Amino acid sequence: MKLLSRRTFVQGAALSLGAAALAPRLGFGAQRQDTAVLPQKTPVTGSKKITPGQASGSVAKVYFSPFIDEASLIKLYNLVNEGIYGKVAIKVHTGEPNGPNILPRELVAALQKTIPDSAIVETNTLYEGGRYTTEGHRKTLEVNGWTFCPVDILDENGDVSLPVRDGFHLKEVAMGKGITDYDSMLVLTHFKGHSSGGFGGSMKNIAIGCASGQVGKRQVHGTNMEGKPEFGTSAKKELFMELMADSAKAVIDHFGKHITYINILRNISVDCDCAGTRAHTPTMKDIGILASNDLLAIDQAACDLVFAAPDSKDVIERIESRHGLRQLSAMREKKMGNPQYELVVVN
């Protein structure tokens, strides 16, 4: 595990104290002090939440902080980064132009500076928007402030097919060719709703976010492979969740033990950051940050926190109306994570 420098530690301690002072005013988890023992209210359980001593067999650890600040983010990353080495891809959803809910750039920048030889990675979109072409995508990156480190658009120079081992529907998925240039990956996710997936967690971030814009994303969406994509007839509900699971499986099998995950539960709109300025204003309070080496466990834990929150009616309706919880059961069926997890609160 990488250690923080003394200077970073001192700065982090100061930031944590500041965040703690602000927490009641900002609502950063202030009403969720017993998060670790909250009942698991998510209707679908891909990974069962347990308390210490309940487990039979292995258990995934999911670390949680109710404070969304630089110090907490760095602290949690250092608890799950043992497999991160070499050239590091940081998979972030950088959003459509001027998107109001995307991750704060200063938050991501603080973390990225602690990760040697790292770059943010993205892919172009299948729909026509601010990230449809590489040229337009680079302009959008500037507009949204992603200028503090290298940003690699993985499909700028084409695709590479990664195999899907024991998938539901797909045998391979076209990813941005640049993915093979990296030794390890940090999946840094803004957890929120999604128009088709119900929710966008770590699985969605790599399943759609690593797939190439004009080939891989057609495969994941189950749409026509030539001409203008027909989104009206693309995969929906269970089929879409299973296609995403196939694509995510290709990514996690590719990196093996050299991939880890962080979900940041803030500005949780019912809409994805793909919606840009059209995204609905969040109607629930920020929750905190999760970190884990287990893909299924971290997305399960995020859903568990959302379903337990008293102000999550709109987000729950979005998830359930799209059958989004099939993401969790699909990952369990394909052994993409541990069927048991423990939530460890880190203050």
Side-chain angles (χ1 to χ4, degrees), residues 169-191:
H169 307 285
L170 301 173
K171 300 297 183 184
E172 60 182 19
V173 178
M175 302 294 174
K177 186 177 180 179
I179 197 170
T180 59
D181 294 335
Y182 292 87
D183 300 301
S184 55
M185 176 175 280
L186 165 62
V187 184
L188 181 57
T189 302
H190 172 213
F191 187 92

Side-chain angles (χ1 to χ4, degrees), residues 15-28:
L15 283 165
S16 291
L17 289 171
L22 289 171
R25 180 167 60 88
L26 296 177
F28 289 166

Side-chain angles (χ1 to χ4, degrees), residues 216-345:
K217 286 185 174 63
R218 290 175 188 261
Q219 294 170 317
V220 178
H221 284 84
T223 189
N224 52 303
M225 295 304 295
E226 296 182 0
K228 189 172 183 179
E230 298 172 2
F231 289 110
T233 58
S234 64
K236 300 290 191 298
K237 297 182 177 178
E238 283 79 4
L239 175 57
F240 182 56
M241 312 310 156
E242 291 165 6
L243 287 167
M244 281 204 294
D246 285 352
S247 183
K249 193 171 192 303
V251 176
I252 65 174
D253 286 351
H254 173 72
F255 284 106
K257 294 181 179 180
H258 305 295
I259 186 169
T260 195
Y261 313 93
I262 294 176
N263 282 350
I264 300 179
L265 287 75
R266 73 177 295 278
N267 281 11
I268 310 173
S269 170
V270 299
D271 289 317
C272 179
D273 294 331
C274 298
T277 55
R278 297 180 290 105
H280 282 74
T281 301
T283 56
M284 63 179 298
K285 293 179 180 178
D286 297 341
I287 294 176
I289 305 175
L290 294 167
S292 181
N293 289 317
D294 190 290
L295 176 60
L296 168 58
I298 194 168
D299 276 358
Q300 178 77 61
C303 287
D304 288 346
L305 289 171
V306 167
F307 274 79
D311 53 359
S312 57
K313 177 182 177 182
D314 293 342
V315 177
I316 290 174
E317 190 280 331
R318 174 57 59 93
I319 293 172
E320 294 186 330
S321 65
R322 271 61 169 181
H323 298 201
L325 296 177
R326 174 59 178 149
Q327 293 185 48
L328 304 176
S329 59
M331 283 192 278
R332 179 167 183 161
E333 288 174 26
K334 294 304 176 181
K335 297 179 172 59
M336 296 168 64
N338 198 303
Q340 300 181 121
Y341 84 90
E342 175 187 349
L343 193 70
V344 180
V345 178

